């Protein structure tokens, strides 16, 4: 069993890998911050829409709740 203190390292590393292309766009293009934000929102539009809809279960909430039960 992995302790919660060690488990954050792979999560942060995977988040940084996912954000890498957006960071490159921000640094290389003029207006890159707006372009990168637009691309991110476009690629995650279904998740954003699900979070804005009331009464619909969010995709990651059930998994996080199950993980919290295992860690306890």
């Amino acid at each position: 069993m992995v302790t919660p203190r060690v488990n954050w390292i792979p999560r942060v590393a995977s988040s940084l890998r996912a954000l890498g292309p957006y960071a490159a766009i921000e640094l290389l293009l003029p207006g890159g911050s707006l372009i990168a934000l637009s691309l991110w929102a476009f690629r995650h539009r279904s998740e954003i829409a699900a979070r804005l809809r009331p009464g619909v279960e969010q995709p990651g909430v059930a998994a996080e709740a199950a993980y919290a039960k295992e860690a306890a």
Side-chain angles (χ1 to χ4, degrees):
M1 184 170 140
V2 179
T3 62
R5 290 184 181 173
V6 178
N7 193 29
W8 68 271
I9 296 171
R11 293 179 79 181
V12 169
S14 66
S15 296
L16 288 176
R17 280 189 214 109
L19 293 175
Y22 301 109
I25 289 170
E26 286 186 46
L27 293 173
L28 296 175
L29 296 176
S33 298
L34 294 175
I35 296 169
L37 180 62
S38 300
L39 285 174
W40 181 87
F42 181 74
R43 292 191 67 173
H44 294 89
R45 65 188 178 275
S46 60
E47 296 171 19
I48 295 169
R51 288 177 191 237
L52 294 176
R53 271 186 247 134
V56 178
E57 187 174 323
Q58 297 176 11
V61 172
E64 289 176 10
Y67 176 76
K69 287 181 183 177
E70 290 176 9

